[in-house]
Amino acid sequence: MTPLSRIIRTMIETDGPMGIDRFMTVALAHPQHGYYITRDPLGTAGDFTTAPEISQVFGELIGVWAVAQWQAMGEPQSFLLVELGPGRGTLMADLLRAAQVRPHFGKAAKLHLIETSPVLRAAQAARLGPGATWHFSLESLPAGPALVIANEFFDALPIRQFECRGGRWFERLVGLQGGGLKLGLAAQPVKLGLSGQDGAVMEVAPEREAVAEALGDRLKAQGGAALVIDYGHTVTAPGDTLQAVRAHGFAAVLERPGEADITSHVDFEQLGHAFRRGGAVVPPVMRQGDFLTAMGLAARVERLAGQLQGGDRENFLSAARRLAEEAAMGALFKVMTVHSPRTPAPYPFGVS
Ligand code: SAH
């Protein structure tokens, strides 16, 4: 039992079984024991790694994307450079370094970071130096055109799950088992108005969609574009994608709340609908491998590898390959752009 298992058990004893969304919120964001609140989860000593931590090329190519989009917007002299869930600040540091090819970009960019974790806010401040402003959500951002980056952010926002049994739908809830001592799954009948095969699981992500809709609305009203990268699927399909990860391996979702990362795959079809409801334009989603290739991955890797030798060179090349190869991150991870109707469609989306 973790401190959070005890807290969740008391909540269930008081209020009855809770939705998966509430369980995720408590496990990840409890003000005292929440997973993201208490630790830096990234890197070899942590629980999982992400593309910017694997290779500097990832953030650099996103820097190239951001500069190109800033130019397409007519090089505004002041704009918000926003990142949702910036982790250790690695992606932003690599982006800003690559963007130095256009010094005016760095002068025009006002850095705004949306982050709930005090531990990661400190890591971001150490990495990026003075000049950034932190927020808990989009609402407190100042007005103005924005370029927004979100890598592995939307997967961390809570979902609800529904399961079809004998032609009827049930919401999956977290309840108590083993004489009230253990957390276990429970089910509650719901009316979904959908047909489904026995055993099918459907996921919905109202909080994720609320953030996307608010961002779409802001981009429509004030101009700019966003780049969203995450693991997930392009078309809505049934499936249980809820997962817990601890020490670089999968863990049981209910086992040690507060000590494992809990996420789900992003349904990019529904995310796109939410951005459109807000008023943004959403071109077709790309696979991460195709996006990075179009942004010049091969040339960048070749240039940097030319400065390395032996084992360093091999490590660098294999890390860069991991980002784009189909069997690694290249196909599972998708890249979605959304933009204001007043802003030109970002390269390389819609180019075939
Ligand atoms: N983008 C980084 C980190 C990904 S991990 C990278 O690619 O390495 C998820 C990030 O989102 C962490 O920084 C985490 O603290 C943050 N986060 C999770 N839920 C959040 C929320 N509801 N609001 C703001 N930030 C959140």
Side-chain angles (χ1 to χ4, degrees):
M1 277 251 161
T2 62
L4 262 191
S5 325
R6 278 188 273 277
I7 290 170
I8 292 169
R9 195 174 61 185
T10 308
M11 290 168 82
I12 296 171
E13 281 163 359
T14 315
D15 298 332
M18 62 173 72
I20 302 281
D21 50 347
R22 178 131 181 76
F23 174 76
M24 283 180 81
T25 302
V26 177
L28 299 177
H30 184 276
Q32 206 183 347
H33 303 290
Y35 177 75
Y36 282 116
I37 305 303
T38 56
R39 72 198 67 214
D40 172 354
L42 293 152
T44 20
D47 293 311
F48 61 93
T49 192
T50 56
E53 301 297 330
I54 292 171
S55 173
Q56 69 183 73
V57 175
F58 186 76
E60 289 173 353
L61 292 175
I62 292 175
V64 175
W65 179 88
V67 169
Q69 189 56 22
W70 173 69
Q71 292 178 318
M73 285 158 59
E75 305 196 2
Q77 287 191 352
S78 175
F79 71 98
L80 285 80
L81 180 57
V82 180
E83 188 172 357
L84 309 180
R88 290 176 168 173
T90 308
L91 189 164
M92 187 53 77
D94 294 338
L95 180 161
L96 290 170
R97 194 181 55 253
Q100 281 168 2
V101 290
R102 292 287 175 276
H104 290 304
F105 176 94
K107 290 198 191 87
K110 305 289 173 276
L111 194 53
H112 290 271
L113 306 174
I114 298 183
E115 175 61 72
T116 42
S117 164
V119 181
L120 291 174
R121 280 184 175 206
Q124 292 153 20
R127 187 69 201 259
L128 297 167
T133 307
W134 278 267
H135 304 263
F136 287 98
S137 69
L138 291 171
E139 280 80 63
S140 54
L141 288 174
L147 289 177
V148 182
I149 312 293
N151 185 57
E152 292 207 31
F153 168 76
F154 282 97
D155 64 68
L157 301 187
I159 60 161
R160 294 171 67 185
Q161 285 192 322
F162 303 94
E163 191 182 323
C164 187
R165 279 195 230 147
R168 296 181 57 203
W169 286 95
F170 296 81
E171 177 158 12
R172 279 191 178 168
L173 303 174
V174 179
L176 297 177
Q177 287 177 351
L181 288 176
K182 252 183 84 186
L183 301 179
L185 281 182
Q188 174 173 288
V190 283
K191 286 212 165 56
L192 286 190
L194 283 178
S195 57
Q197 294 203 336
D198 213 31
V201 174
M202 289 290 297
E203 297 178 339
V204 297
E207 285 189 46
R208 186 185 284 164
E209 291 179 15
V211 173
E213 191 171 333
L215 181 53
D217 180 58
R218 188 210 152 89
L219 291 173
K220 179 190 74 175
Q222 308 198 34
L227 195 67
V228 174
I229 307 125
D230 225 310
Y231 41 86
H233 34 284
T234 311
V235 177
T236 302
D240 178 355
T241 75
L242 190 68
Q243 62 184 38
V245 167
R246 191 161 178 251
H248 299 271
F250 288 109
V253 172
L254 302 183
E255 198 88 344
R256 302 192 68 77
E259 293 181 4
D261 190 29
I262 303 177
T263 64
S264 71
H265 285 206
V266 173
D267 178 340
F268 278 96
E269 183 176 349
Q270 298 308 319
L271 195 70
H273 289 323
F275 278 120
R276 285 189 196 98
R277 281 198 298 278
V281 182
V282 189
V285 170
M286 296 179 80
R287 304 193 312 174
Q288 177 167 298
D290 298 333
F291 171 80
L292 294 176
T293 301
M295 292 313 300
L297 178 69
R300 182 97 203 157
V301 167
E302 198 176 318
R303 211 165 88 214
L304 291 169
Q307 302 161 10
L308 300 169
Q309 279 166 352
D312 287 348
R313 184 185 151 85
E314 279 319 303
N315 290 343
F316 172 77
L317 288 173
S318 79
R321 272 198 297 270
R322 196 170 151 194
L323 299 179
E325 268 178 6
E326 221 174 288
M329 300 173 80
L332 173 62
F333 282 74
K334 311 291 188 298
V335 187
M336 170 177 268
T337 196
V338 312
H339 61 96
S340 161
R342 301 193 256 128
T343 300
Y347 179 84
F349 296 85
V351 179
S352 50

